[in-house]
Amino acid sequence: MSDFSEELIKSTTEDDQGERCELSGTGMHFPWLQKHIETVATGGKKEKDFAQTTSACLSFIQEALLKHQWQQAAEYMHSYLQVLEDSDSCKRQAAPEIIWKLGSEILYYHPKSNVEAFNTFADRMKNIGVMNYLKISLQHALYLLHHGMLEDANRNLSQAETWRYGEKSSSQEVLINLIQAYKGLLQYYAWSKKKMELSQLDKDDYAYNTASQNMLDHSWKTSVNLGALIQIPGVWDPFVKGYVEMLEFYGDQDGAREVLTNYAYDEKFPSNPNAHIYLYNFLKREKAPREKLISVLKILYQIVPSHKLMLEFHRLLRKSEKEEHHKLGLEVLFGVLDFAGCTKNITAWKYLAKYLRQTLMGSHLAWVQEEWSSRKNWWPGFHFSYFWAKSDWKEDKALACEKALVAGVLSGKGTWLCFLFI
Amino acid sequence: MDFPGSLRPTVFMTGPLGLSDVPDMSFMCSWRDALTLPESLPQNSENGVPHVAKGLLWEPETPGPLPLLPPGPDPWHPGLTAQDLLFRGGHPFQKQPRVVLDVTEQLSRFLWDHGDIAFAPLGKLMLENFKLEGARSRSKKKTVVSVKRLLQDLDGHQPWGCPWAYLSYRQRRFSILGGPILGKSVANLLGDLLHEELVTRWEQLLLDDAFTGGALAWVPGKTPRVGQLVYPAGSTLDKLYFQEVSLTPGGNPQVLRDPGHIQLRGPVRQVVTRTVQGESLLAVRSDYHCALWKISRQGRPAPLQVLQVEKGATGISLSPHLPGELAVCSRSGAICLWTPQDGLRRVYKDPDTLVFRDPSPWRWADFTAHPRVLTVGDRTGVKIVDTQVRGGDCHRQSSRTEQRHGVGWGRDLPEGMKSSRSVSPAGGDGAPDLRLGGLTRFLSQGPPGCGLLLFRGGAEASCQKGERVLLTQYLGEGSPESLHSTLHLICTQFSLYLVDERLPLVPMLKWNHGLPSAPLLARLLPPPGPGCPRPLLLGGQDGQLQLLHITGEEASTPRLAGPPQSLPSRNDSLSAFPVLEPKSQWRLQERLKAPTIGLAAAIPPSASTPILSLFQLSAAGDVFHQCLRLQADPGPDSCAPTVSWSPQATACCSQWLKALLEVPPAPPVWAAPTFSHRRLLGCVEQREVEGKVPEGLRAAMAEGRLLQQRDLGSLPTAEPPPAPEPGPDDELSKRLEAAWEGRAAAWWERRQGWSSGPRQQPKRHKRRTQLSSTFSSLSGRLELSDATSPPPSPDPEARPRPPGTPPSQELAQENWARGVPSERQQTLRDYMAKLPLREDPLEDASVPPSQTSSIRATRSRQRTLQDNTAKPPLQMDTPEGVSVPPSQTSSIWATRSRQRTLQDNTAKPPLQRDTPEGASVPLFQTSSIRATRFRQQTLQDNTAKPPLQRDTPEGAFVPSSQTSSIQATPSRQQTPVLSGSQRIRKKPRMGF
């Protein structure tokens, strides 16, 4: 049995795996274990010729794919299809997924393949066995979506949506939700197209009314489709974005806020910076009070202190009346400049130079000291080294000046002078 | 920095590995990654076409990599294989073959090789039940076994595992009767330890993580075309070479001059290089040391600092942000930040693994986009750890203390240090880790104050059951221009993950690499041209290479720009070499199959198509090179043209091969004897005694390699050399001739007539004993004298018993000397030799050389007897001077006459080059199991020098070595016997 297929039918081979891992005692699974055993084992049940040829064929296909020999891979694939008649039921069950995986890849990259061929293949594969219908439908729809065939994709998803087999398992449920969400996304695309048309129409026109009526219908359907999925923990950026846009359009501000807040703050969700960014942007559009904005960005600051919104955050904090916000404003600037990707951000340096001066004038030396104490052993080497001074001066004199100014304020006269006059 | 505005939809599930009820979102293929969602409709209508370069392909210029440098002068041995460790029997009733460690074979080896330890005490206890005389006087009692016949059978014993092994019914009965008693004590003592050792070896065979990260580095030089390859070579990989290489526009690298090298005191496991702020640094990890060099602009390395890691270092990384800063991980679970200026600072310590319990002590640390934040990885996950020392004065104080204590790696740091990093989850001013520690909800992921998990071996990344992290790597370069400054690569045995540190736990990209070996090497290269995706090289331990095209600007998620491709491995180069005789061919194949331990690549600037120069280092110290050319869009017929070997390439390979074959092959560690060599070698050795057999022939026979013309010397038919005595070849042919004609018996008689004459004893003696050591696995180790003198009674006051000596050994010796009637002593001595009751020659300092010499050489008993009879004055050396009448001993000779000639002809072991210091031995100490087998020979060799006994003063150290050898058996990193033997060997030898 090859590694590839093994990994796919993990549920059926779990016991075997456990048996084999037992020796190492670590529970680690080694895909190359079989190879070692084969050099030693002489007895044991021999694989049948059929199994040998199919597994050899599988490895040929994989090899051809990795060498981009699509033509050859397709030829091998032709022979590999015999695996569907394997007498080993466990292999036979795993086969459709492998065939789909490899076959779709071949068809995706093969220079002579086209959408029709892919469609035919996908439709056939869906109905071999029952386990893969949803997965293949979803991927097929994505393929069509990618190729701009939205209607076909929609039809596909609608078909898949109503498909049921046996008891609904949780993975099936997630898949159905996903399918519905993608359908919702398609509807959102249609909606946003209509919205654009609408904006070009005259409001008094008769067509306007029908169009807006259509849009209302869409909105309702979409909200049903999208709403279910985004309750499940995950990263659903495109869905959330579209959903919120629609809710906002129809004036359901509370609903939109709820969706976004849930997306950002639900503990079961991964800490997705975009969730906070969407919420912030929404609140900004809504003209929420500064306090509110600051509290959203504060959390974003904790997750991604290097985000470009941090400069905006700093501006908000600077404008705030609260002293602790002023202090945080300094911290945020330092935080941004800590990151390797931001060292040449001249705005940040400008802000820092200006704000340092302001802070010191406001006799908050302690704040600066606090920030500086943890950085003084590495910022000079990181930002104010001779190398950077030279290269900054060559590339961007303004940046070099700002940096020199900050260096001067922070590290005393000795260092920055040399930095400035290189 | 910008964050991708819209991430790919993913289900997020928490849970353990292999959660089967989660739809694996990576179930889709590589093309799925190429799919893009139309962001919104207007955009979609514009660029609905897939903008994936379908034909993105790095095309190799040759079908396989070519050797860049000539092979090193040291022989290389591939080491242990599964065959050495696993049980080779079949399991007819099992569906799947199972892994069974072969403890029995190892144990049986031990019993053969160290029978003294294994059986001496029991032998003593069972002494009463043995009848030592021959078969004539029949005993009525069933409980008494005749030892003589048993010994006779044992004389022709066959090694374990030989399908043709002959087992007499007597032996069989004896082993059945005695088995339960004989075997148990030793097996019980050793079994567990041995099993443990074998398990470790087996695990190492399955996954050797020592070379994680790779030991080959490309240090860019002054111009982009010139650089240096830094790599270890030599049989133990303890020489660090600096080879200057120039990349031609055509892609072929040129070696500029002879490499410089630095001799280190340990094997190099990892070589890391970085150029930070114009300063090139080189860090090297050995097993217990790490070192840092600065490479000057001229390319000369200047050592900066060396660090000792007591528990063993597992990983080292150079900071891409601050010159000279390193992260070092140790097996104890500690991560230290190391700068040459400030010394060592421990930033993290957790002996436990991150996510779930895993026994592996492997740890890894790398840097992140924030210079003061590290990733800490183990087999179960990767965590982000903030190392900043924040807070008030007391913390700064403690940090200084720590730096002073920096060198003591294993030392615990002052308590203040710990408190400075511990975090109150409540937040506020005292919670610095919250900055990157993320939201409070993630603090529950690990011990408090340890940041948050970047990657979790679990359902979050849809990990499979049994999946483990093998490599983590920060992909950013530290320069603000690099687009992937927040990306981390995580490799498991199944998949490759790209994780953004700003979105922990959710992989941005997952690709099932399907490599058939552990992916321990990865290199992300700069884009070969503007707008091109970045090549990410992934190297498996067995040499497989994959190349992935990673694309994604700062504001979009990283994804595969095209289907991944595999690159040729060194195995594919086999066709470039000329066809060889099987032995050499096999050697070449083995060399090409050596594990890959280093990977480096450079993209020289070129005007036309981008070129990728790929270097790989094998465990044998070979550097291979391959040139790849980017085919951005090969058109609709993307059928890759098959490349073939150019004449230059084959010439290069032949030259390399020639150099390789000149390297002497590694001495065989141990070869399983398939039949009794002794009997076959008999006639050869006979003439060897006369000093005429070419060394080559003996060497060839002992190594079991193909006999070649040069081994046999000149053919006797061509021109018989004018020798005073008949040469070996015609001896052999004479015998064969005689045998063919059916006159073998007559020839035999003649032979015997020749061999019975007086000979030069010392020379023969030496050879014989050396041979016996070669076949030590076949023969009993110690032999008693056939000499006519009785053994001397031990001298009690002259031998203080070392504390560790088992009393049984001495007791045994004294016992047999005292209570046995004198006419039985001869047989008894024989028996004692067989059963090895005692082994240290040093104990009986009073035994005359002739006598003890025959004690050592079993197979030469007969000859010694003759010698003794020929040289009676020797017996006068014995303290008692009691001589056994010849009549008594002659009866024994008679029984052995069958074996006489054979025994006499113990060939000189060609392996033993009689190096007094045993110089070849330490080499093998590194691998304990190999050493077990090899050591035997040396040991034999030592004990086989009878006259030594006189010189050694009381030999107090040898018994201790004996006792310790049983403890050291499972892991013989140090073999005390060796050191002891070395001391013996330095003594002047008598009789030589």
Side-chain angles (χ1 to χ4, degrees):
Chain A
M1 198 189 298
S2 83
D3 313 329
F4 191 82
S5 55
E6 235 171 44
E7 112 202 356
L8 286 169
I9 51 167
K10 53 193 176 211
S11 55
T12 50
T13 51
E14 251 166 34
D15 294 339
D16 288 344
Q17 279 184 19
E19 223 169 61
R20 278 185 228 153
C21 296
E22 156 190 305
L23 206 108
S24 62
T26 60
M28 183 168 173
H29 180 67
F30 299 97
W32 46 90
L33 178 66
Q34 196 62 27
K35 191 181 69 192
H36 283 299
I37 295 178
E38 271 161 17
T39 61
V40 177
T42 47
K45 203 170 123 187
K46 279 260 185 296
E47 264 199 329
K48 283 185 199 133
D49 293 346
F50 183 80
Q52 279 177 10
T53 51
T54 48
S55 71
C57 190
L58 180 65
S59 62
F60 281 140
I61 298 173
Q62 283 163 337
E63 205 184 309
L65 283 180
L66 279 172
K67 285 183 176 161
H68 295 199
Q69 295 163 342
W70 314 116
Q71 185 66 43
Q72 222 160 340
E75 280 164 27
Y76 285 129
M77 196 70 213
H78 196 260
S79 316
Y80 184 69
L81 295 177
Q82 66 171 347
V83 79
L84 289 169
E85 285 150 39
D86 199 323
S87 56
D88 185 345
S89 67
C90 137
K91 277 192 192 176
R92 201 171 52 232
Q93 274 170 19
E97 189 160 343
I98 302 170
I99 293 176
W100 166 248
K101 245 184 167 177
L102 299 174
S104 63
E105 192 154 348
I106 294 169
L107 286 175
Y108 187 85
Y109 291 113
H110 199 289
K112 283 179 193 152
S113 86
N114 49 27
V115 180
E116 286 74 45
F118 194 94
N119 286 344
T120 324
F121 177 66
D123 286 337
R124 292 244 172 96
M125 288 310 298
K126 273 177 211 171
N127 294 310
I128 296 177
V130 287
M131 303 311 292
N132 304 305
Y133 187 89
L134 291 178
K135 282 185 190 178
I136 295 176
S137 293
L138 182 57
Q139 289 181 72
H140 187 195
L142 285 175
Y143 176 88
L144 294 169
L145 203 61
H146 177 73
H147 284 81
M149 302 163 75
L150 302 191
E151 278 112 59
D152 290 324
N154 194 22
R155 200 171 49 243
N156 238 300
L157 289 170
S158 306
Q159 271 172 16
E161 196 184 12
T162 53
W163 185 87
R164 288 286 180 281
Y165 174 75
E167 236 174 80
K168 211 176 178 186
S169 69
S170 73
S171 76
Q172 238 185 70
E173 202 176 318
V174 173
L175 275 172
I176 288 175
N177 276 332
L178 257 177
I179 286 168
Q180 284 174 342
Y182 272 105
K183 209 178 144 204
L185 195 66
L186 282 174
Q187 284 159 356
Y188 161 73
Y189 289 146
W191 175 84
S192 93
K193 196 175 165 191
K194 286 219 168 65
K195 195 176 100 176
M196 205 131 83
E197 282 167 10
L198 201 64
S199 64
Q200 288 155 2
L201 284 176
D202 190 6
K203 273 197 178 177
D204 302 324
D205 200 342
Y206 170 73
Y208 181 85
N209 284 328
T210 31
S212 62
Q213 189 61 43
N214 266 341
M215 281 182 70
L216 277 172
D217 287 353
H218 268 295
S219 161
W220 177 79
K221 271 194 272 176
T222 314
S223 65
V224 168
N225 283 330
L226 290 175
L229 181 74
I230 55 181
Q231 303 297 321
I232 301 171
V235 177
W236 310 123
D237 289 358
F239 305 129
V240 170
K241 248 173 142 178
Y243 191 37
V244 166
E245 194 187 329
M246 289 168 84
L247 288 175
E248 268 186 281
F249 185 82
Y250 291 106
D252 189 1
Q253 304 294 336
D254 293 335
R257 192 183 300 110
E258 200 195 318
V259 166
L260 284 173
T261 314
N262 186 50
Y263 191 48
Y265 297 134
D266 194 329
E267 289 192 8
K268 289 190 217 86
F269 280 64
S271 75
N272 182 356
N274 278 338
H276 302 278
I277 296 165
Y278 295 162
L279 182 62
Y280 171 75
N281 287 336
F282 172 76
L283 291 174
K284 219 167 97 176
R285 280 196 298 272
E286 223 187 14
K287 306 230 166 13
R290 192 190 292 142
E291 277 298 306
K292 186 90 187 152
L293 293 177
I294 286 176
S295 73
V296 173
L297 284 182
K298 206 168 172 178
I299 292 171
L300 182 65
Y301 164 66
Q302 282 170 354
I303 309 172
V304 191
S306 63
H307 198 272
K308 63 175 180 182
L309 273 181
M310 286 305 116
L311 294 178
E312 208 169 315
F313 183 38
H314 167 77
R315 283 199 298 272
L316 281 175
L317 289 170
R318 207 167 50 188
K319 280 183 213 148
S320 166
E321 287 87 34
K322 281 192 193 165
E323 187 134 297
E324 65 176 285
H325 283 169
H326 292 165
K327 188 173 176 230
L328 188 61
L330 186 69
E331 213 179 301
V332 166
L333 280 181
F334 271 103
V336 168
L337 289 169
D338 275 348
F339 283 87
C342 306
T343 50
K344 297 210 170 173
N345 190 334
I346 187 163
T347 324
W349 281 110
K350 257 186 197 150
Y351 280 180
L352 184 61
K354 199 170 140 197
Y355 202 61
L356 271 177
R357 220 176 305 146
Q358 203 178 319
T359 313
L360 291 175
M361 302 261 270
S363 63
H364 291 297
L365 183 67
W367 296 355
V368 181
Q369 271 174 344
E370 194 180 308
E371 291 305 314
W372 182 239
S373 68
S374 64
R375 293 181 173 87
K376 67 178 176 194
N377 57 348
W378 62 277
W379 262 41
F382 184 55
H383 286 306
F384 310 134
S385 67
Y386 178 74
F387 175 86
W388 283 128
K390 226 166 82 177
S391 82
D392 285 344
W393 188 253
K394 237 187 249 168
E395 288 165 20
D396 190 349
K397 290 205 172 51
L399 176 70
C401 286
E402 293 297 336
K403 275 175 88 171
L405 208 61
V406 172
V409 173
L410 289 174
S411 49
K413 285 182 177 138
T415 11
W416 68 272
L417 276 178
C418 82
F419 191 86
L420 192 61
F421 296 114
I422 291 158
Chain B
M1 281 182 286
D2 216 349
F3 190 76
S6 179
L7 299 168
R8 196 184 302 280
T10 326
V11 183
F12 181 76
M13 290 266 176
T14 49
L17 297 155
L19 210 62
S20 56
D21 214 22
V22 179
D24 181 3
M25 292 311 286
S26 66
F27 60 80
M28 308 187 186
C29 336
S30 76
W31 61 266
R32 183 249 180 183
D33 207 74
L35 296 178
T36 46
L37 277 180
E39 279 288 301
S40 63
L41 204 73
Q43 265 185 356
N44 178 45
S45 53
E46 282 164 28
N47 50 6
V49 261
H51 49 270
V52 163
K54 273 191 176 181
L56 203 64
L57 183 72
W58 285 94
E59 201 178 323
E61 292 213 319
T62 48
L66 293 172
L68 179 71
L69 301 163
D74 300 312
W76 177 76
H77 191 269
L80 283 177
T81 60
Q83 277 133 314
D84 298 329
L85 294 171
L86 297 186
F87 186 65
R88 293 191 289 272
H91 301 271
F93 305 115
Q94 224 139 28
K95 196 178 164 196
Q96 294 268 341
R98 281 184 73 174
V99 174
V100 182
L101 286 181
D102 204 348
V103 182
T104 40
E105 181 177 352
Q106 304 288 345
L107 208 55
S108 94
R109 285 271 139 234
F110 172 78
L111 297 183
W112 279 121
D113 299 350
H114 301 278
D116 52 333
I117 297 164
F119 301 118
L122 289 162
K124 201 211 85 199
L125 288 172
M126 286 161 51
L127 195 61
E128 294 167 15
N129 298 317
F130 286 112
K131 183 163 67 67
L132 299 168
E133 194 32 68
R136 263 176 297 150
S137 56
R138 288 173 200 287
S139 170
K140 295 281 179 287
K141 278 195 232 166
K142 292 264 178 171
T143 51
V144 174
V145 178
S146 164
V147 173
K148 218 185 81 185
R149 300 302 295 270
L150 211 57
L151 291 180
Q152 273 176 11
D153 293 341
L154 275 177
D155 261 355
H157 83 253
Q158 318 254 334
W160 187 94
C162 174
W164 297 280
Y166 166 73
L167 209 66
S168 75
Y169 78 94
R170 219 177 286 109
Q171 269 174 290
R172 200 179 161 73
R173 195 174 55 193
F174 174 66
S175 65
I176 289 170
L177 283 174
I181 320 162
L182 284 173
K184 238 173 212 169
S185 59
V186 181
N188 287 352
L189 258 174
L190 275 179
D192 287 345
L193 292 171
L194 189 60
H195 189 262
E196 200 177 297
E197 172 71 12
L198 287 176
V199 166
T200 325
R201 294 268 152 191
W202 170 241
E203 274 169 11
Q204 210 177 346
L205 186 72
L206 283 178
L207 175 67
D208 188 4
D209 55 18
F211 292 102
T212 307
L216 178 67
W218 171 261
V219 185
K222 270 182 284 183
T223 63
R225 289 203 181 283
V226 182
Q228 272 189 99
L229 282 175
V230 185
Y231 59 95
S235 57
T236 45
L237 298 172
D238 58 350
K239 273 185 190 166
L240 191 66
Y241 281 87
F242 294 81
Q243 174 69 61
E244 214 167 303
V245 172
S246 150
L247 302 167
T248 59
N252 288 324
Q254 262 159 11
V255 176
L256 286 185
R257 58 181 95 123
D258 281 349
H261 77 263
I262 297 173
Q263 177 74 47
L264 303 174
R265 279 168 57 194
V268 173
R269 304 295 187 194
Q270 194 189 350
V271 180
V272 190
T273 181
R274 285 240 195 226
T275 304
V276 186
Q277 300 188 5
E279 208 173 298
S280 289
L281 289 153
L282 181 79
V284 165
R285 167 171 66 89
S286 178
D287 286 339
Y288 295 96
H289 292 90
C290 295
L292 183 65
W293 280 271
K294 188 180 165 176
I295 310 264
S296 69
R297 291 189 73 83
Q298 285 76 36
R300 294 189 174 281
L304 289 182
Q305 212 165 10
V306 178
L307 173 79
Q308 187 182 355
V309 187
E310 273 171 31
K311 291 273 167 63
T314 57
I316 190 168
S317 337
L318 270 167
S319 168
H321 312 294
L322 290 161
E325 200 167 83
L326 287 146
V328 183
C329 333
S330 96
R331 279 179 197 283
S332 63
I335 310 290
C336 287
L337 210 58
W338 180 33
T339 45
Q341 302 89 34
D342 302 338
L344 207 60
R345 186 162 74 88
R346 194 177 79 185
V347 295
Y348 181 80
K349 165 102 194 212
D350 187 5
D352 297 325
T353 43
L354 295 172
V355 181
F356 50 88
R357 203 179 291 263
D358 187 276
S360 170
W362 179 83
R363 295 291 184 280
W364 198 260
D366 211 334
F367 289 83
T368 64
H370 190 297
R372 275 292 171 273
V373 175
L374 297 181
T375 58
V376 174
D378 60 33
R379 290 270 176 259
T380 63
V382 182
K383 178 184 270 187
I384 302 176
V385 177
D386 191 349
T387 70
Q388 279 192 78
V389 188
R390 295 176 197 226
D393 280 339
C394 68
H395 294 150
R396 262 179 278 138
Q397 178 68 36
S398 63
S399 88
R400 242 178 278 132
T401 335
E402 190 178 15
Q403 282 164 11
R404 250 185 278 128
H405 285 287
V407 189
W409 180 269
R411 206 171 307 184
D412 261 330
L413 297 172
E415 202 50 42
M417 197 57 222
K418 285 179 185 163
S419 66
S420 76
R421 277 196 311 278
S422 70
V423 166
S424 53
D429 287 347
D433 273 355
L434 277 182
R435 174 164 301 201
L436 258 154
L439 300 170
T440 348
R441 65 186 192 221
F442 283 109
L443 284 173
S444 56
Q445 284 179 341
C450 294
L452 81 158
L453 283 172
L454 175 70
F455 177 84
R456 213 183 107 107
E460 289 85 352
S462 326
C463 291
Q464 293 181 38
K465 196 180 169 195
E467 190 162 350
R468 297 288 185 276
V469 175
L470 297 180
L471 174 74
T472 78
Q473 200 170 324
Y474 172 52
L475 295 180
E477 275 106 16
S479 63
E481 289 86 15
S482 81
L483 300 173
H484 299 281
S485 66
T486 52
L487 276 190
H488 294 258
L489 169 79
I490 289 156
C491 283
T492 67
Q493 68 269 47
F494 301 113
S495 303
L496 168 153
Y497 303 86
L498 288 185
V499 189
D500 194 305
E501 66 189 47
R502 295 169 295 184
L503 177 61
L505 297 175
V506 185
M508 290 269 189
L509 186 150
K510 177 174 177 174
W511 156 249
N512 282 356
H513 55 68
L515 283 177
S517 61
L520 297 180
L521 310 163
R523 295 277 179 275
L524 182 70
L525 300 171
C532 287
R534 300 180 70 174
L536 173 66
L537 286 165
L538 190 64
Q541 213 171 10
D542 287 353
Q544 303 89 356
L545 285 170
Q546 268 184 21
L547 195 151
L548 285 82
H549 315 274
I550 306 287
T551 181
E553 294 72 47
E554 203 178 356
S556 69
T557 50
R559 52 194 180 82
L560 295 176
Q565 69 175 102
S566 67
L567 303 180
S569 69
R570 269 172 292 126
N571 255 336
D572 295 318
S573 301
L574 194 64
S575 56
F577 291 93
V579 179
L580 297 164
E581 51 160 322
K583 190 89 184 169
S584 306
Q585 184 80 9
W586 183 75
R587 202 171 142 200
L588 172 67
Q589 271 177 26
E590 204 162 55
R591 186 96 173 185
L592 292 177
K593 257 192 266 170
T596 305
I597 58 165
L599 190 66
I603 299 183
S606 73
S608 52
T609 49
I611 287 171
L612 176 68
S613 259
L614 183 65
F615 301 94
Q616 36 181 310
L617 173 72
S618 80
D622 301 324
V623 178
F624 276 61
H625 165 261
Q626 175 133 42
C627 187
L628 304 154
R629 221 169 261 279
L630 183 64
Q631 275 203 327
D633 214 2
D637 276 325
S638 71
C639 199
T642 46
V643 279
S644 57
W645 294 106
S646 66
Q648 293 103 308
T650 43
C652 166
C653 286
S654 325
Q655 211 177 348
W656 186 83
L657 180 64
K658 210 178 140 198
L660 175 70
L661 293 179
E662 275 164 18
V663 176
V669 170
W670 180 82
T674 48
F675 52 85
S676 179
H677 288 57
R678 232 177 326 112
R679 292 170 188 240
L680 293 180
L681 285 180
C683 52
V684 179
E685 187 54 25
Q686 183 81 19
R687 288 176 306 281
E688 186 270 325
V689 163
E690 269 120 56
K692 281 296 158 191
V693 169
E695 286 285 326
L697 178 60
R698 260 181 279 122
M701 290 184 76
E703 288 165 33
R705 67 178 157 83
L706 209 63
L707 268 182
Q708 286 167 334
Q709 189 56 53
R710 60 167 187 269
D711 295 326
L712 295 167
S714 55
L715 278 176
T717 48
E719 195 186 302
E725 286 166 306
D729 307 305
D730 44 348
E731 280 284 331
L732 181 64
S733 53
K734 263 184 201 168
R735 188 194 168 190
L736 288 174
E737 212 172 279
W740 273 110
E741 289 164 16
R743 287 186 277 110
W747 182 84
W748 191 245
E749 287 300 317
R750 233 175 26 250
R751 289 290 317 157
Q752 278 182 319
W754 288 348
S755 57
S756 58
R759 274 164 255 143
Q760 301 163 308
Q761 195 203 349
K763 196 178 171 191
R764 243 181 21 224
H765 191 76
K766 184 173 154 196
R767 285 177 185 148
R768 198 178 57 224
T769 50
Q770 281 172 344
L771 179 72
S772 73
S773 65
T774 316
F775 299 107
S776 53
S777 58
L778 305 176
S779 59
R781 299 190 324 104
L782 299 175
E783 288 81 34
L784 275 192
S785 170
D786 281 335
T788 45
S789 72
S793 60
D795 196 356
E797 82 269 357
R799 269 199 317 272
R801 186 181 294 168
T805 318
S808 61
Q809 293 187 7
E810 279 195 78
L811 273 176
Q813 198 182 356
E814 284 159 14
N815 261 0
W816 65 262
R818 263 187 235 120
V820 182
S822 62
E823 70 274 7
R824 273 201 178 183
Q825 282 186 356
Q826 187 53 53
T827 330
L828 178 56
R829 254 179 269 133
D830 258 350
Y831 157 69
M832 297 295 281
K834 285 298 185 188
L835 240 197
L837 277 182
R838 28 152 238 156
E839 86 114 286
D840 46 330
L842 307 163
E843 287 220 347
D844 44 5
S846 51
V847 181
S850 68
Q851 187 186 346
T852 44
S853 73
S854 49
I855 286 179
R856 306 274 121 48
T858 335
R859 308 300 160 226
S860 56
R861 202 175 301 122
Q862 164 68 17
R863 193 196 39 79
T864 321
L865 284 170
Q866 288 168 356
D867 290 344
N868 282 335
T869 44
K871 294 180 187 173
L874 276 176
Q875 291 166 11
M876 289 165 80
D877 294 343
T878 55
E880 279 82 11
V882 184
S883 57
V884 181
S887 62
Q888 190 195 337
T889 47
S890 66
S891 70
I892 302 167
W893 304 346
T895 57
R896 293 226 179 76
S897 61
R898 172 179 65 88
Q899 292 169 351
R900 176 173 161 245
T901 344
L902 297 169
Q903 307 275 315
D904 212 359
N905 292 320
T906 41
K908 180 179 175 182
L911 278 181
Q912 294 308 131
R913 274 162 287 156
D914 199 23
T915 43
E917 306 305 324
S920 56
V921 176
L923 249 172
F924 292 88
Q925 287 182 11
T926 47
S927 75
S928 60
I929 289 187
R930 276 190 268 153
T932 317
R933 291 152 174 181
F934 191 79
R935 197 191 78 137
Q936 166 67 18
Q937 296 179 345
T938 333
L939 188 73
Q940 293 289 314
D941 205 17
N942 287 327
T943 51
K945 304 269 188 297
L948 294 179
Q949 294 167 0
R950 301 193 133 193
D951 310 315
T952 44
E954 311 318 323
F957 50 88
V958 172
S960 72
S961 74
Q962 255 186 3
T963 49
S964 68
S965 78
I966 191 164
Q967 288 141 13
T969 308
S971 150
R972 294 186 187 206
Q973 296 299 336
Q974 309 114 1
T975 37
V977 179
L978 278 175
S979 60
S981 64
Q982 283 173 14
R983 279 176 66 191
I984 301 170
R985 279 162 168 262
K986 279 175 191 160
K987 301 282 176 187
R989 294 179 203 166
M990 280 183 70
F992 286 89

